[in-house]
Structure formats: structure tokens, C-alpha cells
Amino acid sequence: MISNKEIAAIFNLTGEVLTLLDENPFKVRSYFAAAQSIKNYPVPLATLSEDEILKIKGIGKNLLPKVMEIIRTGDLEFLHRKAEKIPDGILELLQIKGLGPKKVKQLWQELGITSPGELLYACYENRLVDLKGFGQKTQEKIQKTLEFYFQNKHKFHYPAAFEYALEIINFLKTKYNLEQIEITGVLRRKCETVKHIDLLVCSEQEVIIENLDFSPIPVNLHYSPPEQKAFRQLITTGSQQHLEKLHLKGFEFAETEEEIYAKNHLPYIPPELRENLFEWELTKNQHPINLIEEKDIKGLVHCHTVWSDGTNTIEEMALAARDKGMEYVVITDHSKSAFYANGLSEERIIQQQKEIKRLNDKNLGIQILSGIEADILPDGSLDYDHNVLQSFDVVIASVHSVLHMDKHKATGRILKAIENPHVHIIGHISGRLLLSRLGYELDYDKIFDACIQNNVILEINANPMRLDIDWKQAGKAREKGVKFSINPDAHNAEGINHIQYGVNTARKAGITPDNVVNCLSADEFKNAIKK
Ligand SMILES: [Zn+2]
Ligand SMILES: [Zn+2]
């Protein structure tokens, strides 16, 4: 038997959907009012006759058939019909606490946000701060709610999973007096999203661990006697397809993973590469693989400042980059079409370049280059003319609007940007947001060829919600000879730390420092991107 609460919830959702569809406010209100009185009614409606239900406040002749339908079927056809007109992501947004249909509608209409992931990203980019009825506080609250929401949706972005893993290791070490616990599995392979945490517990005897229910991510504990640690680590790291290509019998007591690979006549294969995709080709000649490391990055490319939607000044970003060991920073605020991000007009570009010159004259201990993240318009052109584009040291071209294009159109759009003589780097090429938005499809072969022909560099956007270009495509691009720039797309000083996730992606793609332009010194970098 359906409860009053459940009936009320369906009425409530109907009211919300009608609000989103801009239906007659009186009609909308009648659904909310009915929901309210049904929820509070002391007797289950399912036990009442039609006449009795009609006497309940807020349920008139119009709504009665709907109440009866819900009691009969547990559902309301009318609601489904209306909801069909609304993107699924918007309906999902309605489920998020504290938003409500009016706010969802405003976000949809004014910022084009159609899913929780897009909204979270908008929070990270400070889009809600200046939106009427929102502001800094509301943005922070929404951001927290959404982060929680995503953590509860079975899959986790790599950094969140990694943090939880560290917490759990800490807990286990303290509570059970365990000394050796290692991260293994998907997390050790640094996959971009993670469903569960695998930990290898190294101890003489198996430990009974009561429960790890507090962990929001399921935890798999694997045990190993100390003398089999290397072997167990290799086995639990996977991937399964990688392991199937190795001879493992008889190596249970190897001292190190290196030893097991050596017995397979292979150099050590770092965990990130163990996907049965690029590792065999890379180890063909038996040389050790010199994958890129975070310390190889010398230039911070792609960051935003208070000039567009960042929260730090140019000077603050430069100093933060310097303190992280960078030799140069490329400031790339948004271009003028990105009005929602306070994109730069031609006049403000002149002012910003003056400011950069002033700061460089101060000798901050880091070189500041003038760049832009120019919008690729739907037709593939950029939103400034030649003279303006020429004034930058670095032009990153990125798609930020009209994200839903078919493969042919989207490829044509990107190709046109690559062929633009002013473009140095293509930013976050697919537009994906991990766990919430698939990118548009692209003909990557054509794009890689065009990059090589036009000396255009592909960004590995290091924001852990993007990690775009995907590592599988990045590996193919590397094989063709395309160069990369690992860019944090930082919107504040802390965002510079995201470089590590871009490095993970690069490592999974088998990328070495000589494939990456921001591993070069400032002069070499400028030279390498020259048209
Ligand atoms: Zn961007
Ligand atoms: Zn950006």
C-alpha cells in the first residue's frame, strides 16, 4: 500500500516539473498545496473512498483522478509526460537538497547548466558568485552538497578516492597495529575514476577487521605474508589483461616487482601503464621507460586570475607557481565570448598585458607570459581578430559553449581551430566532465594529423574532473608524434596542485618528458610552440 508520504512526493515532483516548464503558477501551486496536505493527513489515503479523499483540503475534482491513479499504480502518467520535456540532468538536479525548482530553472536558463556535474564545475569556476539570488555563500553550500552527492554516487574521482584510502590506511594502522598497508588495484594504476579501494595488508597472519562501513567507498582488503609482498602487489594491482600476458608461476617469492618483470625479459613497468594497451610497445626494445614525473614540469600553462573567473591576482598566481618550482607561468584568462566568466574585452587585454609587463619588470623570480583561453565558436573561429591574437605569447583555444554537436561537426570545429595560425594549444579537447558529462565525439585520427601539420599542442587538462584528453587517446596521439602541455587550468593558487593528476594521465598514456612542451625552459617552450 502506498503511503501518504510517497503520494505527496509525486505531487511535489509534479509541481517542480511544472515550475521548470513555466506552467500557470496557480496550477503549480495547487500541486504543492495538495502535496502538503496529503503528507500531513493522519489516515492513509489508500484506505479512503473517493468521496472521503475529495474532502481533504487542496484536493479538488481536478486532482482527484491523479490521486486515485497514484494509489492504483504507484505512478503518475501525467508527470512522466511533462518530465519528458526536461533533460534528465535537470531532473537529477531537483533531487539535490537546497536547490529547488526556481533555482534549478535559473541555472538552466541563465548558465545553461543541465546536470549536477556541470553545476559543480560552475561552482569551481565561481559562476554562481555574481548570479542574482546566489552569491559566494550559496555557491559554497551548493558546492559542498554536490561534492557529497557525487561521493554518494558509487564512483569517485581519483583524488577523493585517494584521500579516503589514506584515511583508511591510517585507521587500520592505528586500530589493528598493522605496519605495512599499500594502495593497490585501480587506485595504484591511477585510473581517473574509482569504484572501490584495494589495499594490500602485509602481515604474518590474517587480521579480522570488523567493519569499514564508515568508508564511503567499498574497500577490498587483500592479505599477503611479508615474503610474498611483491608478488601479491603485482597480482592485486592488475589489470587482469596485463597479468595474463606475464609468466607468474614460480615467482611467488620474488623480492621485488622488478624481479618478476626481469624474469619475463621486461624492464619494470610502472603501475599506471599496466592496462594491456601501451606497455608492450614501449618495452619492446627492453629499455627502461622514462615516464614523465611531476618534477619535470617547468611551466605553469593555463590559469585564470581575477581578470576573468579566477580568485587570485596575476601576481599571486605567479608567486604561487614560483613557490612550486615553476620557471614561468602563462596567464590565460577567458576571452570575450565567455561573458559568464567575465571574459576579456580587447581593451582589458591591453591593460592586462601592461600589468604583466609591470610585474615582469619587478623580477618576481618567475617569468610571466601573456596568454588567453580563447573560445572556439560553434563555426570553429575564435572570438578575436588577428591583431589581438597576435599580441599573446600563447593562445589556448577551447570549446565552452554549444557542447552538443555530432562527431562530424565537432571534429570540423576543432580542426578549424587547429588550422588557425594563431592557435598554439587546444584546451580540454572533448569537453567531458568525469562522472557527469560525456564529451562530444571526435575523429581523433584527423585531429592528431592536423596537430602535427600545424604544430599545435594538445592540452592534457589536469583538472581531476576533466583529465581531458583521455589517456587512451593521448597514448595514440603520442604514437603519432603529437606534443602535449600538461595544464592545471587553475582558477586559484591551490588549483596548481592539479598538475599531478595531469601527470597521472600522461603516464598512463606512456608520455615521457620530451613529449611535453611545458617540461621545457621558457625560451625552449616559446620556441617549441612557434608556428
Ligand atoms: Zn576552459
Ligand atoms: Zn580554463
Side-chain angles (χ1 to χ4, degrees):
M1 186 180 75
I2 192 162
S3 70
N4 287 358
K5 211 174 140 195
E6 288 165 304
I7 302 172
I10 293 175
F11 267 83
N12 209 38
L13 182 58
T14 309
E16 291 179 340
V17 165
L18 296 179
T19 308
L20 286 171
L21 293 173
D22 269 327
E23 298 232 359
N24 179 332
F26 289 102
K27 191 168 151 193
V28 172
R29 231 171 288 151
S30 72
Y31 280 90
F32 288 129
Q36 194 62 23
S37 59
I38 292 169
K39 199 173 89 188
N40 296 330
Y41 202 73
V43 185
L45 267 65
T47 63
L48 301 179
S49 70
E50 289 194 17
D51 285 343
E52 286 168 318
I53 292 174
L54 255 184
K55 285 185 194 136
I56 298 172
K57 200 179 133 211
I59 301 179
K61 284 226 167 73
N62 283 339
L63 293 185
L64 180 67
K66 296 199 166 70
V67 176
M68 299 317 291
E69 183 189 338
I70 297 171
I71 291 173
R72 216 173 48 243
T73 66
D75 214 340
L76 185 60
E77 220 266 319
F78 173 75
L79 169 61
H80 288 282
R81 224 169 46 232
K82 291 288 180 187
E84 259 172 25
K85 299 176 188 163
I86 298 172
D88 287 349
I90 294 277
L91 297 173
E92 211 184 330
L93 275 172
L94 284 178
Q95 312 299 318
I96 289 164
K97 242 187 10 214
L99 272 179
K102 288 209 175 114
K103 280 209 162 74
V104 171
K105 190 169 93 182
Q106 192 187 352
L107 291 164
W108 184 19
Q109 288 177 346
E110 292 182 28
L111 297 182
I113 286 168
T114 59
S115 73
E118 287 176 350
L119 181 55
L120 179 55
Y121 200 72
C123 292
Y124 289 146
E125 294 201 331
N126 298 313
R127 296 272 189 275
L128 275 52
V129 173
D130 293 324
L131 195 64
K132 197 166 164 260
F134 286 78
Q136 185 75 37
K137 280 251 162 64
T138 311
Q139 176 176 287
E140 276 167 21
K141 228 170 95 187
I142 291 176
Q143 184 179 323
K144 282 222 175 82
T145 312
L146 285 167
E147 280 168 348
F148 181 79
Y149 176 74
F150 279 111
Q151 285 162 6
N152 283 285
K153 266 193 84 184
H154 320 305
K155 259 195 165 187
F156 298 78
H157 294 103
Y158 172 85
F162 186 76
E163 283 305 312
Y164 284 126
L166 294 185
E167 268 176 44
I168 291 159
I169 289 175
N170 209 0
F171 167 83
L172 292 173
K173 280 189 174 172
T174 324
K175 178 149 186 202
Y176 296 95
N177 205 16
L178 294 164
E179 272 170 25
Q180 284 198 55
I181 307 175
E182 312 281 346
I183 289 174
T184 186
V186 168
L187 202 53
R188 185 168 180 235
R189 299 206 310 277
K190 310 228 168 107
C191 294
E192 60 274 36
T193 58
V194 172
K195 253 191 194 154
H196 43 74
I197 294 170
D198 290 274
L199 298 176
L200 183 67
V201 178
C202 214
S203 85
E204 293 292 348
Q205 58 290 86
E206 195 160 313
V207 194
I208 306 296
I209 290 173
E210 307 118 65
N211 100 51
L212 291 170
D213 285 355
F214 64 88
S215 165
I217 314 184
V219 183
N220 300 330
L221 291 180
H222 309 269
Y223 292 93
S224 169
E227 62 277 15
Q228 285 191 25
K229 185 180 165 191
F231 180 77
R232 296 292 308 158
Q233 202 163 26
L234 183 82
I235 298 292
T236 54
T237 298
S239 66
Q240 197 51 44
Q241 294 88 330
H242 173 83
L243 296 174
E244 279 165 13
K245 298 272 169 77
L246 298 175
H247 301 288
L248 297 167
K249 278 220 176 75
F251 302 149
E252 288 82 354
F253 297 94
E255 297 234 328
T256 60
E257 288 183 321
E258 280 87 343
E259 193 185 320
I260 302 173
Y261 281 109
K263 291 199 166 131
N264 277 275
H265 310 290
L266 288 166
Y268 176 69
I269 298 179
E272 296 92 322
L273 271 180
R274 299 180 194 169
E275 302 286 357
N276 189 33
L277 203 55
F278 301 121
E279 66 270 49
W280 314 121
E281 177 69 25
L282 286 167
T283 53
K284 206 172 52 183
N285 57 13
Q286 319 230 334
H287 290 312
I289 313 170
N290 169 36
L291 292 184
I292 186 168
E293 294 176 43
E294 198 182 346
K295 65 172 171 50
D296 297 321
I297 306 281
K298 292 189 185 144
L300 165 55
V301 183
H302 195 164
C303 66
H304 299 268
T305 71
V306 288
W307 285 76
S308 66
D309 60 351
T311 43
N312 288 103
T313 62
I314 298 174
E315 183 164 7
E316 285 163 352
M317 287 306 279
L319 294 176
R322 181 198 66 188
D323 293 346
K324 296 229 184 310
M326 300 289 160
E327 294 174 17
Y328 52 101
V329 52
V330 186
I331 304 294
T332 54
D333 276 304
H334 283 287
S335 61
K336 67 178 176 187
S337 320
F339 56 88
Y340 50 84
N342 194 23
L344 299 179
S345 65
E346 282 83 351
E347 278 152 56
R348 291 178 67 226
I349 288 168
I350 295 170
Q351 290 166 17
Q352 191 189 52
Q353 290 176 343
K354 272 192 195 148
E355 169 68 359
I356 288 174
K357 184 167 183 316
R358 184 185 74 81
L359 291 168
N360 275 328
D361 288 344
K362 270 173 77 177
N363 280 328
L364 297 174
I366 181 164
Q367 191 179 340
I368 308 172
L369 305 186
S370 157
I372 190 83
E373 183 179 17
D375 265 39
I376 304 176
L377 301 175
D379 69 355
S381 63
L382 303 189
D383 54 348
Y384 296 118
D385 69 23
H386 292 284
N387 291 337
V388 177
L389 290 169
Q390 221 156 27
S391 70
F392 298 108
D393 298 313
V394 180
V395 174
I396 300 178
S398 310
V399 167
H400 291 114
S401 60
V402 195
L403 295 168
H404 305 285
M405 275 192 175
D406 66 34
K407 185 172 176 177
H408 179 74
K409 276 197 182 141
T411 303
R413 182 185 194 181
I414 302 279
L415 285 177
K416 190 163 169 206
I418 292 171
E419 284 157 10
N420 185 314
H422 298 289
V423 170
H424 300 108
I425 300 174
I426 297 290
H428 46 72
I429 194 160
S430 82
R432 78 175 180 184
L433 288 179
L434 289 166
L435 301 186
S436 56
R437 182 172 82 204
L438 283 168
Y440 33 84
E441 272 189 76
L442 291 168
D443 185 337
Y444 281 101
D445 273 332
K446 278 192 185 153
I447 285 172
F448 300 156
D449 291 342
C451 283
I452 289 169
Q453 267 167 29
N454 295 278
N455 192 32
V456 165
I457 283 97
L458 281 184
E459 168 176 277
I460 294 178
N461 190 294
N463 185 306
M465 288 184 67
R466 288 192 184 268
L467 298 176
D468 188 8
I469 182 169
D470 182 83
W471 63 267
K472 296 182 199 79
Q473 294 299 345
K476 289 182 199 157
R478 169 187 55 75
E479 288 175 342
K480 284 204 166 191
V482 176
K483 297 277 187 242
F484 303 90
S485 183
I486 300 179
N487 301 347
D489 198 354
H491 285 71
N492 53 41
E494 216 177 298
I496 302 172
N497 292 327
H498 287 161
I499 286 177
Q500 59 180 307
Y501 307 118
V503 170
N504 290 348
T505 295
R507 288 172 64 87
K508 290 191 79 61
I511 289 171
T512 54
D514 52 322
N515 305 132
V516 178
V517 289
N518 56 336
C519 290
L520 299 168
S521 68
D523 286 342
E524 290 168 336
F525 169 80
K526 283 191 242 174
N527 221 8
I529 65 169
K530 218 185 246 161
K531 307 299 282 186

